[in-house]
Amino acid sequence: DGFENMTLLVYGNNATTTFSYNSQTKSLNGLTLDAITSTASNRILNKQYTRDAMGRVTTVSNSAMGYTNPNSSVTMGQAYSFTHTYDQFNRLANTTGTYETGEGPDSYSLEMVYDKAGGITRKTQVSNVPNMNYDLTYTYKANSHQLASVTNINPGGTASTFTPNTSGSVSN
């Protein structure tokens, strides 16, 4: 498009992704993904982004209802909508969303909490799907920003702690 933004991507199976951009900021406004079969073109994604005055993404939505592959009965795509809010330091504070599943609509919410240094101290997600719920607490090594552990206290009341090893990889 003259600004080095990709506008069209054609895959080996003839599926295409088309990208659109804001004419002034050049930020991504949306994209479509179309699966091409021998008989039709099927829209899998019709994704749109909304930004606030600071350029932060405030909503992400997909209005395409998806495409079900007749050979495998797998549905790709489906509608969703997510809303993001930020704190005074431009960090993600909350996200809420709704989306279609094979069994109907679902929703979730996510909340992020940070310490004074900007490290995440808590990340909580609540969903209508029980195995998608989590409540993570993060601890850091004294006088550093190095992560010491992440503990997930799930709805069943058990805790899993993941701790970085000497090379920084996380294990439990």
Side-chain angles (χ1 to χ4, degrees), residues 7-69:
T7 57
L8 178 66
L9 179 59
V10 179
Y11 302 92
N13 64 358
N14 290 325
T16 60
T17 301
T18 305
F19 303 87
S20 63
Y21 301 90
N22 180 291
S23 62
Q24 293 183 343
T25 65
K26 309 305 178 215
S27 59
L28 184 64
N29 276 347
L31 62 93
T32 59
L33 172 60
D34 295 308
I36 310 298
T37 66
S38 60
T39 58
S41 174
N42 299 285
R43 177 118 328 146
I44 297 174
L45 281 175
N46 188 15
K47 187 184 267 190
Q48 300 297 314
Y49 299 92
T50 304
R51 291 179 169 73
D52 63 15
M54 296 183 69
R56 302 174 298 195
V57 174
T58 55
T59 62
V60 179
S61 62
N62 174 37
S63 60
M65 292 309 295
Y67 164 70
T68 301
N69 184 328

Short mmCIF file of all heavy atoms in Angstrom, two decimals, residues 7-69:
data_model
loop_
_atom_site.label_atom_id
_atom_site.label_comp_id
_atom_site.label_asym_id
_atom_site.label_seq_id
_atom_site.Cartn_x
_atom_site.Cartn_y
_atom_site.Cartn_z
N THR A 7 -1.47 -5.82 2.25
CA THR A 7 -2.89 -5.62 1.96
C THR A 7 -3.58 -6.90 1.52
O THR A 7 -4.79 -7.02 1.66
CB THR A 7 -3.08 -4.55 0.86
OG1 THR A 7 -2.36 -4.96 -0.30
CG2 THR A 7 -2.60 -3.19 1.34
N LEU A 8 -2.83 -7.87 0.99
CA LEU A 8 -3.42 -9.11 0.52
C LEU A 8 -2.44 -10.24 0.72
O LEU A 8 -1.25 -10.10 0.43
CB LEU A 8 -3.78 -9.00 -0.98
CG LEU A 8 -4.37 -10.25 -1.62
CD1 LEU A 8 -5.75 -10.56 -1.03
CD2 LEU A 8 -4.48 -10.06 -3.13
N LEU A 9 -2.94 -11.36 1.23
CA LEU A 9 -2.14 -12.56 1.40
C LEU A 9 -2.93 -13.71 0.80
O LEU A 9 -4.08 -13.95 1.18
CB LEU A 9 -1.88 -12.81 2.89
CG LEU A 9 -1.06 -14.03 3.28
CD1 LEU A 9 0.32 -13.99 2.64
CD2 LEU A 9 -0.94 -14.10 4.79
N VAL A 10 -2.33 -14.38 -0.18
CA VAL A 10 -2.99 -15.51 -0.84
C VAL A 10 -2.23 -16.77 -0.43
O VAL A 10 -1.01 -16.86 -0.61
CB VAL A 10 -2.99 -15.35 -2.38
CG1 VAL A 10 -3.66 -16.55 -3.04
CG2 VAL A 10 -3.68 -14.06 -2.78
N TYR A 11 -2.97 -17.73 0.12
CA TYR A 11 -2.38 -18.97 0.59
C TYR A 11 -2.36 -20.01 -0.52
O TYR A 11 -3.06 -19.88 -1.52
CB TYR A 11 -3.17 -19.51 1.79
CG TYR A 11 -3.23 -18.53 2.93
CD1 TYR A 11 -4.29 -17.63 3.04
CD2 TYR A 11 -2.24 -18.49 3.90
CE1 TYR A 11 -4.35 -16.72 4.08
CE2 TYR A 11 -2.29 -17.59 4.94
CZ TYR A 11 -3.35 -16.70 5.03
OH TYR A 11 -3.40 -15.81 6.06
N GLY A 12 -1.59 -21.07 -0.33
CA GLY A 12 -1.46 -22.13 -1.32
C GLY A 12 -2.77 -22.83 -1.63
O GLY A 12 -2.94 -23.40 -2.72
N ASN A 13 -3.72 -22.81 -0.71
CA ASN A 13 -5.02 -23.44 -0.95
C ASN A 13 -6.04 -22.45 -1.52
O ASN A 13 -7.23 -22.72 -1.52
CB ASN A 13 -5.55 -24.06 0.35
CG ASN A 13 -5.81 -23.02 1.42
OD1 ASN A 13 -5.58 -21.84 1.24
ND2 ASN A 13 -6.30 -23.49 2.56
N ASN A 14 -5.57 -21.29 -1.96
CA ASN A 14 -6.36 -20.21 -2.54
C ASN A 14 -7.18 -19.41 -1.53
O ASN A 14 -7.93 -18.52 -1.93
CB ASN A 14 -7.28 -20.70 -3.67
CG ASN A 14 -6.48 -21.08 -4.89
OD1 ASN A 14 -5.47 -20.46 -5.18
ND2 ASN A 14 -6.91 -22.12 -5.58
N ALA A 15 -7.06 -19.69 -0.24
CA ALA A 15 -7.68 -18.83 0.77
C ALA A 15 -6.98 -17.47 0.70
O ALA A 15 -5.80 -17.38 0.36
CB ALA A 15 -7.56 -19.43 2.15
N THR A 16 -7.70 -16.40 1.03
CA THR A 16 -7.12 -15.06 0.97
C THR A 16 -7.41 -14.29 2.24
O THR A 16 -8.50 -14.40 2.81
CB THR A 16 -7.67 -14.25 -0.22
OG1 THR A 16 -9.08 -14.13 -0.08
CG2 THR A 16 -7.35 -14.90 -1.55
N THR A 17 -6.44 -13.53 2.68
CA THR A 17 -6.62 -12.58 3.77
C THR A 17 -6.40 -11.18 3.20
O THR A 17 -5.39 -10.93 2.54
CB THR A 17 -5.63 -12.83 4.92
OG1 THR A 17 -5.81 -14.15 5.42
CG2 THR A 17 -5.84 -11.84 6.06
N THR A 18 -7.36 -10.31 3.44
CA THR A 18 -7.29 -8.92 2.98
C THR A 18 -7.22 -8.02 4.21
O THR A 18 -8.02 -8.17 5.13
CB THR A 18 -8.53 -8.56 2.13
OG1 THR A 18 -8.63 -9.50 1.07
CG2 THR A 18 -8.41 -7.16 1.57
N PHE A 19 -6.26 -7.10 4.23
CA PHE A 19 -6.03 -6.22 5.36
C PHE A 19 -6.45 -4.79 5.00
O PHE A 19 -6.20 -4.34 3.88
CB PHE A 19 -4.54 -6.21 5.74
CG PHE A 19 -4.00 -7.57 6.05
CD1 PHE A 19 -3.50 -8.38 5.05
CD2 PHE A 19 -3.99 -8.05 7.35
CE1 PHE A 19 -2.98 -9.63 5.33
CE2 PHE A 19 -3.48 -9.30 7.64
CZ PHE A 19 -2.98 -10.10 6.62
N SER A 20 -7.05 -4.07 5.97
CA SER A 20 -7.38 -2.66 5.76
C SER A 20 -6.78 -1.84 6.89
O SER A 20 -6.66 -2.31 8.02
CB SER A 20 -8.90 -2.46 5.71
OG SER A 20 -9.49 -2.82 6.94
N TYR A 21 -6.38 -0.61 6.57
CA TYR A 21 -5.66 0.24 7.50
C TYR A 21 -6.30 1.62 7.61
O TYR A 21 -6.93 2.09 6.66
CB TYR A 21 -4.19 0.39 7.05
CG TYR A 21 -3.48 -0.92 6.96
CD1 TYR A 21 -3.47 -1.66 5.77
CD2 TYR A 21 -2.83 -1.46 8.06
CE1 TYR A 21 -2.82 -2.88 5.69
CE2 TYR A 21 -2.19 -2.68 7.99
CZ TYR A 21 -2.19 -3.38 6.80
OH TYR A 21 -1.57 -4.59 6.72
N ASN A 22 -6.08 2.26 8.76
CA ASN A 22 -6.52 3.63 8.95
C ASN A 22 -5.69 4.53 8.03
O ASN A 22 -4.45 4.43 8.03
CB ASN A 22 -6.34 4.03 10.42
CG ASN A 22 -6.77 5.44 10.70
OD1 ASN A 22 -6.14 6.39 10.25
ND2 ASN A 22 -7.84 5.58 11.46
N SER A 23 -6.33 5.40 7.28
CA SER A 23 -5.61 6.22 6.30
C SER A 23 -4.66 7.23 6.93
O SER A 23 -3.70 7.64 6.30
CB SER A 23 -6.60 6.94 5.39
OG SER A 23 -7.41 7.82 6.14
N GLN A 24 -4.91 7.62 8.18
CA GLN A 24 -4.04 8.60 8.83
C GLN A 24 -2.99 7.96 9.72
O GLN A 24 -1.83 8.33 9.69
CB GLN A 24 -4.87 9.60 9.62
CG GLN A 24 -5.72 10.47 8.71
CD GLN A 24 -6.49 11.51 9.50
OE1 GLN A 24 -6.66 11.43 10.70
NE2 GLN A 24 -6.96 12.52 8.78
N THR A 25 -3.39 6.99 10.54
CA THR A 25 -2.44 6.40 11.50
C THR A 25 -1.72 5.17 10.94
O THR A 25 -0.74 4.74 11.50
CB THR A 25 -3.15 5.99 12.79
OG1 THR A 25 -4.07 4.93 12.49
CG2 THR A 25 -3.85 7.17 13.43
N LYS A 26 -2.26 4.60 9.88
CA LYS A 26 -1.74 3.39 9.24
C LYS A 26 -1.86 2.16 10.13
O LYS A 26 -1.27 1.13 9.86
CB LYS A 26 -0.29 3.56 8.77
CG LYS A 26 -0.03 4.80 7.94
CD LYS A 26 -0.93 4.87 6.74
CE LYS A 26 -0.69 6.14 5.95
NZ LYS A 26 -1.88 6.67 5.36
N SER A 27 -2.63 2.26 11.21
CA SER A 27 -2.85 1.09 12.08
C SER A 27 -3.90 0.18 11.45
O SER A 27 -4.74 0.63 10.67
CB SER A 27 -3.28 1.53 13.48
OG SER A 27 -4.46 2.28 13.41
N LEU A 28 -3.83 -1.09 11.79
CA LEU A 28 -4.73 -2.08 11.21
C LEU A 28 -6.16 -1.81 11.67
O LEU A 28 -6.44 -1.74 12.86
CB LEU A 28 -4.29 -3.48 11.64
CG LEU A 28 -5.05 -4.66 11.05
CD1 LEU A 28 -4.87 -4.73 9.54
CD2 LEU A 28 -4.60 -5.95 11.71
N ASN A 29 -7.07 -1.65 10.72
CA ASN A 29 -8.50 -1.47 11.02
C ASN A 29 -9.24 -2.79 11.03
O ASN A 29 -10.18 -2.98 11.78
CB ASN A 29 -9.18 -0.58 9.98
CG ASN A 29 -9.01 0.88 10.26
OD1 ASN A 29 -8.60 1.28 11.34
ND2 ASN A 29 -9.31 1.70 9.27
N GLY A 30 -8.83 -3.69 10.15
CA GLY A 30 -9.54 -4.95 10.05
C GLY A 30 -8.93 -5.88 9.04
O GLY A 30 -7.98 -5.53 8.34
N LEU A 31 -9.48 -7.08 9.00
CA LEU A 31 -9.05 -8.06 8.02
C LEU A 31 -10.18 -9.02 7.75
O LEU A 31 -11.07 -9.22 8.57
CB LEU A 31 -7.80 -8.80 8.48
CG LEU A 31 -7.88 -9.63 9.75
CD1 LEU A 31 -8.23 -11.08 9.44
CD2 LEU A 31 -6.56 -9.58 10.46
N THR A 32 -10.15 -9.58 6.56
CA THR A 32 -11.09 -10.63 6.20
C THR A 32 -10.28 -11.85 5.77
O THR A 32 -9.19 -11.72 5.20
CB THR A 32 -12.03 -10.21 5.06
OG1 THR A 32 -11.25 -9.87 3.92
CG2 THR A 32 -12.90 -9.04 5.47
N LEU A 33 -10.81 -13.03 6.06
CA LEU A 33 -10.21 -14.28 5.63
C LEU A 33 -11.29 -15.07 4.91
O LEU A 33 -12.34 -15.36 5.49
CB LEU A 33 -9.67 -15.07 6.82
CG LEU A 33 -9.18 -16.50 6.53
CD1 LEU A 33 -8.04 -16.49 5.52
CD2 LEU A 33 -8.75 -17.17 7.81
N ASP A 34 -11.04 -15.36 3.65
CA ASP A 34 -12.00 -16.09 2.84
C ASP A 34 -11.39 -17.42 2.42
O ASP A 34 -10.29 -17.45 1.85
CB ASP A 34 -12.38 -15.29 1.59
CG ASP A 34 -13.13 -14.02 1.95
OD1 ASP A 34 -14.12 -14.11 2.69
OD2 ASP A 34 -12.72 -12.94 1.50
N ALA A 35 -12.10 -18.50 2.71
CA ALA A 35 -11.72 -19.84 2.26
C ALA A 35 -12.39 -20.08 0.92
O ALA A 35 -13.58 -19.85 0.77
CB ALA A 35 -12.15 -20.89 3.27
N ILE A 36 -11.62 -20.52 -0.04
CA ILE A 36 -12.13 -20.73 -1.38
C ILE A 36 -12.27 -22.24 -1.60
O ILE A 36 -11.32 -22.99 -1.42
CB ILE A 36 -11.18 -20.14 -2.45
CG1 ILE A 36 -10.79 -18.69 -2.12
CG2 ILE A 36 -11.78 -20.28 -3.83
CD1 ILE A 36 -11.94 -17.73 -2.07
N THR A 37 -13.46 -22.66 -1.97
CA THR A 37 -13.68 -24.07 -2.33
C THR A 37 -14.03 -24.12 -3.81
O THR A 37 -14.14 -23.08 -4.47
CB THR A 37 -14.82 -24.69 -1.50
OG1 THR A 37 -16.05 -24.05 -1.86
CG2 THR A 37 -14.58 -24.54 0.00
N SER A 38 -14.24 -25.32 -4.32
CA SER A 38 -14.57 -25.45 -5.75
C SER A 38 -15.93 -24.86 -6.08
O SER A 38 -16.21 -24.55 -7.23
CB SER A 38 -14.51 -26.91 -6.16
OG SER A 38 -15.44 -27.66 -5.40
N THR A 39 -16.78 -24.67 -5.06
CA THR A 39 -18.14 -24.18 -5.33
C THR A 39 -18.44 -22.80 -4.77
O THR A 39 -19.43 -22.19 -5.16
CB THR A 39 -19.18 -25.16 -4.75
OG1 THR A 39 -18.96 -25.30 -3.35
CG2 THR A 39 -19.09 -26.52 -5.43
N ALA A 40 -17.61 -22.30 -3.83
CA ALA A 40 -17.97 -21.01 -3.20
C ALA A 40 -16.77 -20.40 -2.47
O ALA A 40 -15.76 -21.06 -2.23
CB ALA A 40 -19.11 -21.21 -2.21
N SER A 41 -16.96 -19.14 -2.11
CA SER A 41 -16.03 -18.45 -1.23
C SER A 41 -16.73 -18.32 0.12
O SER A 41 -17.88 -17.88 0.18
CB SER A 41 -15.69 -17.06 -1.79
OG SER A 41 -14.92 -16.34 -0.87
N ASN A 42 -16.07 -18.71 1.17
CA ASN A 42 -16.67 -18.70 2.50
C ASN A 42 -15.89 -17.78 3.42
O ASN A 42 -14.68 -17.98 3.62
CB ASN A 42 -16.69 -20.11 3.08
CG ASN A 42 -17.51 -21.05 2.23
OD1 ASN A 42 -18.73 -20.99 2.26
ND2 ASN A 42 -16.84 -21.88 1.45
N ARG A 43 -16.53 -16.78 3.99
CA ARG A 43 -15.87 -15.85 4.90
C ARG A 43 -15.73 -16.49 6.27
O ARG A 43 -16.70 -16.82 6.93
CB ARG A 43 -16.69 -14.57 4.99
CG ARG A 43 -16.13 -13.58 5.95
CD ARG A 43 -15.68 -12.25 5.46
NE ARG A 43 -15.14 -12.12 4.15
CZ ARG A 43 -15.32 -11.04 3.39
NH1 ARG A 43 -16.04 -10.03 3.82
NH2 ARG A 43 -14.78 -10.95 2.19
N ILE A 44 -14.48 -16.67 6.70
CA ILE A 44 -14.18 -17.24 8.01
C ILE A 44 -14.01 -16.13 9.03
O ILE A 44 -14.43 -16.25 10.17
CB ILE A 44 -12.92 -18.12 7.94
CG1 ILE A 44 -13.18 -19.31 7.02
CG2 ILE A 44 -12.51 -18.59 9.34
CD1 ILE A 44 -11.96 -20.15 6.76
N LEU A 45 -13.35 -15.05 8.63
CA LEU A 45 -13.12 -13.90 9.52
C LEU A 45 -13.57 -12.62 8.85
O LEU A 45 -13.33 -12.42 7.66
CB LEU A 45 -11.63 -13.76 9.86
CG LEU A 45 -11.03 -14.66 10.91
CD1 LEU A 45 -9.53 -14.42 11.00
CD2 LEU A 45 -11.67 -14.44 12.25
N ASN A 46 -14.17 -11.76 9.63
CA ASN A 46 -14.44 -10.37 9.25
C ASN A 46 -14.12 -9.55 10.49
O ASN A 46 -14.99 -9.07 11.19
CB ASN A 46 -15.88 -10.18 8.81
CG ASN A 46 -16.10 -8.80 8.24
OD1 ASN A 46 -15.16 -8.09 7.91
ND2 ASN A 46 -17.35 -8.40 8.13
N LYS A 47 -12.83 -9.45 10.78
CA LYS A 47 -12.34 -8.88 12.03
C LYS A 47 -12.15 -7.37 11.90
O LYS A 47 -11.56 -6.89 10.93
CB LYS A 47 -11.01 -9.53 12.39
CG LYS A 47 -10.48 -9.16 13.76
CD LYS A 47 -9.12 -9.77 14.01
CE LYS A 47 -9.29 -11.07 14.72
NZ LYS A 47 -7.99 -11.60 15.18
N GLN A 48 -12.66 -6.64 12.92
CA GLN A 48 -12.53 -5.19 12.96
C GLN A 48 -11.92 -4.77 14.30
O GLN A 48 -12.23 -5.36 15.33
CB GLN A 48 -13.90 -4.52 12.80
CG GLN A 48 -14.59 -4.85 11.49
CD GLN A 48 -13.82 -4.36 10.29
OE1 GLN A 48 -13.34 -3.22 10.27
NE2 GLN A 48 -13.66 -5.22 9.29
N TYR A 49 -11.08 -3.75 14.26
CA TYR A 49 -10.45 -3.20 15.46
C TYR A 49 -10.93 -1.77 15.66
O TYR A 49 -11.02 -1.01 14.70
CB TYR A 49 -8.92 -3.18 15.32
CG TYR A 49 -8.30 -4.53 15.13
CD1 TYR A 49 -8.09 -5.04 13.86
CD2 TYR A 49 -7.94 -5.30 16.21
CE1 TYR A 49 -7.53 -6.29 13.67
CE2 TYR A 49 -7.37 -6.55 16.04
CZ TYR A 49 -7.17 -7.04 14.77
OH TYR A 49 -6.60 -8.27 14.58
N THR A 50 -11.20 -1.40 16.91
CA THR A 50 -11.52 -0.02 17.27
C THR A 50 -10.46 0.44 18.25
O THR A 50 -10.07 -0.32 19.15
CB THR A 50 -12.92 0.08 17.92
OG1 THR A 50 -13.87 -0.50 17.03
CG2 THR A 50 -13.29 1.51 18.20
N ARG A 51 -10.00 1.66 18.08
CA ARG A 51 -8.95 2.21 18.96
C ARG A 51 -9.44 3.50 19.61
O ARG A 51 -10.26 4.21 19.06
CB ARG A 51 -7.69 2.48 18.15
CG ARG A 51 -7.00 1.21 17.69
CD ARG A 51 -5.75 1.52 16.88
NE ARG A 51 -4.96 0.33 16.66
CZ ARG A 51 -5.28 -0.65 15.83
NH1 ARG A 51 -6.39 -0.58 15.14
NH2 ARG A 51 -4.51 -1.70 15.69
N ASP A 52 -8.85 3.79 20.78
CA ASP A 52 -9.16 5.06 21.44
C ASP A 52 -8.21 6.13 20.90
O ASP A 52 -7.40 5.88 20.00
CB ASP A 52 -9.10 4.92 22.96
CG ASP A 52 -7.73 4.54 23.50
OD1 ASP A 52 -6.71 4.64 22.75
OD2 ASP A 52 -7.65 4.14 24.67
N ALA A 53 -8.30 7.34 21.47
CA ALA A 53 -7.49 8.47 20.99
C ALA A 53 -5.99 8.23 21.14
O ALA A 53 -5.18 8.84 20.43
CB ALA A 53 -7.89 9.75 21.72
N MET A 54 -5.61 7.32 22.04
CA MET A 54 -4.19 7.00 22.23
C MET A 54 -3.72 5.87 21.33
O MET A 54 -2.56 5.49 21.37
CB MET A 54 -3.94 6.66 23.70
CG MET A 54 -4.19 7.84 24.62
SD MET A 54 -3.81 7.48 26.33
CE MET A 54 -2.05 7.33 26.26
N GLY A 55 -4.61 5.32 20.54
CA GLY A 55 -4.25 4.26 19.62
C GLY A 55 -4.34 2.86 20.21
O GLY A 55 -3.98 1.88 19.55
N ARG A 56 -4.82 2.76 21.45
CA ARG A 56 -4.94 1.45 22.09
C ARG A 56 -6.18 0.73 21.55
O ARG A 56 -7.23 1.34 21.36
CB ARG A 56 -5.06 1.59 23.60
CG ARG A 56 -3.87 2.33 24.22
CD ARG A 56 -4.09 2.58 25.68
NE ARG A 56 -5.24 3.43 25.89
CZ ARG A 56 -5.52 4.07 27.02
NH1 ARG A 56 -4.72 3.93 28.06
NH2 ARG A 56 -6.59 4.82 27.13
N VAL A 57 -6.06 -0.56 21.32
CA VAL A 57 -7.20 -1.35 20.84
C VAL A 57 -8.23 -1.43 21.96
O VAL A 57 -7.93 -1.87 23.07
CB VAL A 57 -6.75 -2.76 20.42
CG1 VAL A 57 -7.95 -3.62 20.07
CG2 VAL A 57 -5.79 -2.68 19.25
N THR A 58 -9.45 -0.98 21.68
CA THR A 58 -10.53 -1.03 22.68
C THR A 58 -11.55 -2.10 22.37
O THR A 58 -12.18 -2.63 23.28
CB THR A 58 -11.23 0.34 22.81
OG1 THR A 58 -11.69 0.74 21.51
CG2 THR A 58 -10.28 1.39 23.37
N THR A 59 -11.74 -2.43 21.10
CA THR A 59 -12.63 -3.55 20.75
C THR A 59 -12.02 -4.33 19.59
O THR A 59 -11.35 -3.77 18.71
CB THR A 59 -14.05 -3.10 20.34
OG1 THR A 59 -13.98 -2.30 19.19
CG2 THR A 59 -14.75 -2.36 21.46
N VAL A 60 -12.28 -5.62 19.62
CA VAL A 60 -11.95 -6.51 18.52
C VAL A 60 -13.21 -7.32 18.28
O VAL A 60 -13.77 -7.91 19.20
CB VAL A 60 -10.79 -7.47 18.88
CG1 VAL A 60 -10.48 -8.40 17.72
CG2 VAL A 60 -9.56 -6.70 19.32
N SER A 61 -13.69 -7.33 17.04
CA SER A 61 -14.91 -8.09 16.75
C SER A 61 -14.77 -8.83 15.44
O SER A 61 -14.05 -8.41 14.54
CB SER A 61 -16.12 -7.16 16.72
OG SER A 61 -15.98 -6.22 15.68
N ASN A 62 -15.46 -9.94 15.37
CA ASN A 62 -15.55 -10.73 14.16
C ASN A 62 -17.02 -11.01 13.90
O ASN A 62 -17.67 -11.66 14.72
CB ASN A 62 -14.78 -12.06 14.30
CG ASN A 62 -14.98 -12.96 13.10
OD1 ASN A 62 -15.06 -12.49 11.97
ND2 ASN A 62 -15.06 -14.24 13.35
N SER A 63 -17.53 -10.51 12.80
CA SER A 63 -18.95 -10.71 12.51
C SER A 63 -19.21 -11.93 11.63
O SER A 63 -20.36 -12.29 11.41
CB SER A 63 -19.53 -9.46 11.84
OG SER A 63 -18.85 -9.19 10.63
N ALA A 64 -18.16 -12.57 11.12
CA ALA A 64 -18.35 -13.77 10.29
C ALA A 64 -18.84 -14.92 11.14
O ALA A 64 -18.38 -15.13 12.26
CB ALA A 64 -17.05 -14.14 9.59
N MET A 65 -19.77 -15.66 10.62
CA MET A 65 -20.33 -16.79 11.37
C MET A 65 -19.53 -18.07 11.15
O MET A 65 -19.88 -19.12 11.66
CB MET A 65 -21.80 -17.01 10.99
CG MET A 65 -22.69 -15.88 11.46
SD MET A 65 -22.49 -15.45 13.22
CE MET A 65 -23.08 -16.93 14.00
N GLY A 66 -18.45 -17.99 10.41
CA GLY A 66 -17.58 -19.14 10.25
C GLY A 66 -17.95 -20.01 9.06
O GLY A 66 -18.89 -19.75 8.32
N TYR A 67 -17.17 -21.04 8.90
CA TYR A 67 -17.33 -21.98 7.79
C TYR A 67 -17.13 -23.38 8.34
O TYR A 67 -16.15 -23.65 9.02
CB TYR A 67 -16.31 -21.66 6.70
CG TYR A 67 -16.13 -22.77 5.70
CD1 TYR A 67 -17.14 -23.07 4.78
CD2 TYR A 67 -14.98 -23.53 5.66
CE1 TYR A 67 -16.99 -24.09 3.86
CE2 TYR A 67 -14.81 -24.54 4.74
CZ TYR A 67 -15.82 -24.82 3.85
OH TYR A 67 -15.68 -25.83 2.94
N THR A 68 -18.05 -24.27 8.04
CA THR A 68 -17.93 -25.66 8.46
C THR A 68 -17.46 -26.49 7.28
O THR A 68 -18.12 -26.53 6.23
CB THR A 68 -19.28 -26.21 8.99
OG1 THR A 68 -19.68 -25.39 10.09
CG2 THR A 68 -19.13 -27.65 9.45
N ASN A 69 -16.31 -27.12 7.45
CA ASN A 69 -15.75 -27.97 6.41
C ASN A 69 -16.62 -29.21 6.27
O ASN A 69 -16.76 -29.97 7.23
CB ASN A 69 -14.31 -28.35 6.77
CG ASN A 69 -13.63 -29.15 5.71
OD1 ASN A 69 -14.25 -29.93 4.99
ND2 ASN A 69 -12.32 -28.97 5.61
#
